Amino acid sequence: MNRIRNFCIIAHIDHGKSTLADRLLETTKTISERDLQDQVLDNMDLERERGITIKSHAIQMNYEHGGEMYTLNLIDTPGHVDFAYEVSRSIAACEGALLIVDATQGIQAQTISNLYMAIEHDLEIIPIVNKCDLQSAMPEEVEDQIIDLLGCDRSDILRASGKTGLGVQAILDAIVERVPAPVGDPDAPLQCLIFDSVFNPFRGIIAYYKVVNGTISKGDLVKFMATDTEYDADEVGVLRLDMEPRKSISCGDVGYIISGIKTSKEVKVGDTITHVDRPAENAISGFEEVKPMVFAGVYPIETEDFENLRASLEKLQLNDASLTFQPESSAALGFGFRCGFLGLLHMEIIQERLDREFNMNVISTVPNVSYLVYDKQGHCTEVHNPSGMPDPTLIDHIEEPFIRASIITNTQFIGPIMTLCLGKRGILVKQEYIHGDRVELFYDLPLGEIVIDFYDKLKSISKGYASFDYHLSDFRPSKLVKLDILLNGDTVDALSTLTHFDNAQSFGRRMCEKLKELIPRQQFDIAIQAAIGSKIIARETVKAVRKDVTAKCYGGDISRKRKLLEKQKEGKKKMKQIGTVEVPQKAFLAVLKLD
Ligand code: GDP
Ligand code: MG
């Protein structure tokens, strides 16, 4: 145990976590140069392209220091706010953290919130200024920020470049010298903290854990405490580049277990594994059930794809327990599923995977949050879909989720950011100067306003120089109304939204204007109306047109004519027939594009 070091890497997206991790693996010869692919830790295509690590992983290295061989376990953490709970569990499994800050960018909000989490868990922090090879690097300024934040000495900070390999050796030495060895009792009843799990089509679910107390061996009868289910440990081992089976994994170390588990729902991040024969009295504290916070309807474009869509969602759920779905139907869109996601990024990832891995052509509705609706008798229901709102006369009041947001930016952008937050019903809680001209703003904001287009707007008004992080705080009463959209007099349920009473008028008007842009002219006039209850609050008209695409061909070339017709048919696939009106897929996301 004295020669084990467990550490994670805390970094803002793109500050070079994956690149530096590669260098560590290369320097410790955990991977040979021949095997060295860029960013081996991000082993999903999607992650690689997006440069974010969606699921956390772990990898073990050996490193010789002062004549002794050490085992270093790198526990990778996801870098996005949607996955905050997974981050917290990976951090709980470590004794140290590398804090990587890009020398050209400085500290960002995401870095700070994960850093606080690490400090709360008493991790030893090793600060690293990365990308020092770049011309535009400002290592002194970034060091000043780090000193302000951690209260450390300048000499504690390492300078590095994942690109050139500068400082990599020093980082490995610092891990051995500064990160404490894990503590735990090898003779106590078994307690393993699960910090991640993956689905393997041949082996089922593989759970990753740190042994906090005791020893786990192949063949043991084990129990997962939160789900209260028993399994045989068919295989235990350590994670190198591949899984390497071992007879047992002992106290302080990190490993995996394969035990015939079929679906990700059976393995919960944060759960504790113990022995059935000699169980631990308590689970490791900090277990939480993660709950989806953002919901959207997902519908197949072709009705007959409904069962395929179900099968695809089931497959995705095998390795992503935080995705939920249940069948729903919409008068406008037919049969589909209401899916629950951890946040917006998670939703985008799922949509992209449906498209890429399953070739599913889907329409998704405007995302919304979950609301608590109280009736006059004080009874509370959770509503995940605007069209599921009870009749307004039955409602006593509605509560919506609020978040506490942290925004870090340069002082020059404070004005526009405050205007943006105000427009989103934000309440400024406090404002703190960090270093030089950098400021951190704390806001209470309704989550429902964030899921729509907050992040994109924040990025554009700050020219990319604002970082954003949030956590859920509480549910608060709000004056919310349901806004319906009608096309030629028919309500399109998939376009209904819940919006604050004070903003409803302008929101309805902008929705109608946007839909007018997005719905192509057809052979008759199309009336677009916004309504609250039976009251129409805005109206636009798409004028009729006679459109003959083949007219351009001057009668001549028949093959060209056929091509055009085929092209038009292709284009139609992205349209949905609603009553008499053809609505393009992107119209359902119109609300995301309002100016
Ligand atoms: P992550 O999102 O934190 O995992 O960041 P990546 O490791 O994916 O790196 C983000 C980008 O920065 C990539 O284009 C890398 O090639 C680049 N990068 C990473 N480390 C360095 C470095 O030390 N120097 C330079 N010049 N570029 C780097
Ligand atoms: Mg990465």
Side-chain angles (χ1 to χ4, degrees):
M1 215 157 54
N2 290 335
R3 288 202 291 274
I4 298 175
R5 298 290 181 271
N6 299 314
F7 70 102
C8 60
I9 302 181
I10 295 172
H12 189 69
I13 287 163
D14 278 345
H15 283 200
K17 178 172 86 172
S18 305
T19 311
L20 201 66
D22 282 351
R23 289 291 96 77
L24 298 179
L25 299 180
E26 192 187 23
T27 309
T28 55
K29 305 206 168 49
T30 310
I31 40 174
S32 66
E33 241 158 282
R34 189 169 43 88
D35 288 339
L36 185 67
Q37 249 178 324
D38 273 347
Q39 302 178 10
V40 279
L41 284 180
D42 297 349
N43 59 6
M44 254 166 69
D45 269 3
L46 195 66
E47 289 178 42
R48 193 164 308 179
E49 274 169 45
R50 283 167 167 262
I52 24 172
T53 310
I54 296 165
K55 292 289 285 179
S56 43
H57 305 264
I59 195 158
Q60 190 172 81
M61 300 167 246
N62 293 327
Y63 183 61
E64 201 184 314
H65 182 84
E68 301 269 19
M69 203 47 132
Y70 287 83
T71 299
L72 312 185
N73 291 309
L74 165 56
I75 296 175
D76 197 19
T77 55
H80 192 276
V81 49
D82 285 1
F83 306 97
Y85 179 67
E86 288 184 21
V87 178
S88 85
R89 295 303 83 199
S90 335
I91 283 177
C94 298
E95 286 80 35
L98 307 181
L99 169 68
I100 298 183
V101 186
D102 185 324
T104 67
Q105 303 286 317
I107 287 171
Q108 311 282 321
Q110 187 64 51
T111 329
I112 292 192
S113 76
N114 286 353
L115 178 65
Y116 284 162
M117 221 187 267
I119 292 173
E120 248 170 63
H121 283 90
D122 283 330
L123 265 54
E124 176 70 29
I125 312 290
I126 301 174
I128 297 163
V129 179
N130 191 32
K131 305 200 190 178
C132 284
D133 61 292
L134 289 173
Q135 281 270 294
S136 50
M138 314 171 294
E140 272 95 36
E141 274 101 304
V142 175
E143 281 174 9
D144 288 342
Q145 290 178 8
I146 293 174
I147 293 166
D148 267 13
L149 198 67
L150 293 178
C152 61
D153 281 344
R154 192 172 296 271
S155 60
D156 295 336
I157 305 172
L158 305 175
R159 291 193 186 181
S161 162
K163 189 160 190 173
T164 65
L166 167 86
V168 172
Q169 197 82 39
I171 293 171
L172 287 164
D173 291 334
I175 293 168
V176 171
E177 289 163 11
R178 295 199 223 164
V179 176
V183 286
D185 182 353
D187 302 319
L190 180 69
Q191 278 182 315
C192 303
L193 168 67
I194 300 177
F195 60 83
D196 200 5
S197 71
V198 294
F199 171 74
N200 178 304
F202 305 107
R203 316 290 312 262
I205 298 289
I206 304 168
Y208 297 169
Y209 55 82
K210 177 201 184 178
V211 184
V212 176
N213 286 307
T215 298
I216 185 170
S217 303
K218 179 182 160 80
D220 286 352
L221 185 58
V222 295
K223 183 164 89 171
F224 287 43
M225 294 177 84
T227 51
D228 198 23
T229 41
E230 294 178 6
Y231 303 95
D232 285 315
D234 297 334
E235 182 177 319
V236 297
V238 296
L239 300 145
R240 311 284 297 193
L241 205 51
D242 296 307
M243 293 184 288
E244 289 183 8
R246 295 276 190 276
K247 272 212 199 77
S248 59
I249 308 292
S250 49
C251 192
D253 215 345
V254 170
Y256 70 87
I257 176 171
I258 296 175
S259 52
I261 302 173
K262 297 268 177 342
T263 74
S264 61
K265 280 188 234 165
E266 295 169 65
V267 178
K268 308 223 184 240
V269 167
D271 195 1
T272 302
I273 308 174
T274 193
H275 281 133
V276 172
D277 281 349
R278 193 182 157 222
E281 230 166 88
N282 297 308
I284 298 156
S285 67
F287 175 72
E288 267 174 45
E289 193 87 46
V290 283
K291 281 185 74 183
M293 284 312 300
V294 173
F295 297 84
V298 175
Y299 289 84
I301 301 235
E302 309 291 346
T303 4
E304 61 269 25
D305 280 340
F306 176 75
E307 284 305 328
N308 284 338
L309 179 57
R310 183 204 298 278
S312 310
L313 287 168
E314 274 166 3
K315 283 213 182 92
L316 285 176
Q317 208 182 39
L318 282 177
N319 60 10
D320 184 351
S322 43
L323 168 70
T324 63
F325 61 93
Q326 60 193 116
E328 72 169 6
S329 63
S330 146
L333 299 175
F335 291 100
F337 296 93
R338 175 110 319 216
C339 297
F341 310 97
L342 295 176
L344 272 193
L345 177 82
H346 188 212
M347 172 171 137
E348 265 177 52
I349 290 166
I350 296 292
Q351 284 173 354
E352 223 166 295
R353 292 186 65 187
L354 279 174
D355 182 37
R356 277 189 207 208
E357 294 168 33
F358 299 95
N359 207 7
M360 290 298 316
N361 212 345
V362 297
I363 286 182
S364 34
T365 65
V366 177
N368 59 263
V369 299
S370 74
Y371 299 93
L372 300 181
V373 180
Y374 289 85
D375 67 16
K376 301 249 153 77
Q377 285 75 43
H379 184 77
C380 172
T381 1
E382 208 173 313
V383 173
H384 293 158
N385 186 348
S387 67
M389 267 300 154
D391 189 283
T393 57
L394 301 174
I395 297 175
D396 182 70
H397 71 281
I398 302 176
E399 290 182 0
E400 63 175 334
F402 266 69
I403 57 160
R404 170 64 55 87
S406 142
I407 300 166
I408 295 185
T409 185
N410 281 0
T411 40
Q412 69 185 112
F413 301 115
I414 290 183
I417 290 175
M418 286 187 163
T419 310
L420 171 69
C421 290
L422 197 65
K424 299 286 186 188
R425 299 188 279 132
I427 303 155
L428 181 64
V429 182
K430 66 180 169 182
Q431 183 173 347
E432 271 174 9
Y433 287 85
I434 301 183
H435 186 85
D437 56 358
R438 290 165 73 77
V439 62
E440 183 169 15
L441 304 170
F442 294 90
Y443 267 96
D444 281 352
L445 283 151
L447 178 63
E449 298 276 357
I450 302 300
V451 302
I452 291 192
D453 59 355
F454 181 82
Y455 196 44
D456 286 345
K457 286 210 167 125
L458 180 69
K459 268 195 295 202
S460 86
I461 59 174
S462 66
K463 306 193 170 64
Y465 284 106
S467 58
F468 173 67
D469 182 47
Y470 70 83
H471 61 262
L472 204 64
S473 53
D474 51 2
F475 278 78
R476 299 185 192 176
S478 266
K479 239 172 116 184
L480 297 167
V481 291
K482 183 169 153 228
L483 183 89
D484 293 318
I485 298 291
L486 291 75
L487 293 181
N488 278 351
D490 296 328
T491 305
V492 183
D493 55 2
L495 287 172
S496 296
T497 46
L498 282 176
T499 172
H500 194 263
F501 180 78
D502 296 343
N503 301 337
Q505 186 83 33
S506 97
F507 185 73
R509 189 166 27 78
R510 286 178 300 148
M511 272 292 275
C512 289
E513 283 164 8
K514 195 74 204 179
L515 287 169
K516 182 182 175 184
E517 273 172 41
L518 293 174
I519 296 176
R521 305 169 104 192
Q522 291 166 36
Q523 281 163 1
F524 43 84
D525 282 0
I526 303 165
I528 305 169
Q529 293 166 308
I532 298 172
S534 55
K535 188 169 162 235
I536 304 292
I537 58 164
R539 179 192 164 108
E540 293 284 339
T541 307
V542 180
K543 285 274 172 227
V545 70
R546 274 211 110 65
K547 186 167 157 213
D548 181 0
V549 282
T550 57
K552 288 194 209 113
C553 302
Y554 310 112
D557 185 348
I558 183 72
S559 74
R560 177 142 179 243
K561 210 175 207 166
R562 194 174 297 133
K563 253 193 206 141
L564 260 168
L565 283 169
E566 265 162 24
K567 228 173 160 182
Q568 201 190 28
K569 220 162 97 196
E570 278 283 294
K572 271 222 179 89
K573 276 205 184 142
K574 303 260 177 210
M575 302 276 217
K576 188 83 196 175
Q577 186 87 26
I578 294 179
T580 50
V581 185
E582 282 188 330
V583 182
Q585 195 176 353
K586 55 179 187 273
F588 294 97
L589 293 174
V591 65
L592 299 179
K593 307 266 147 49
L594 298 181
D595 309 314

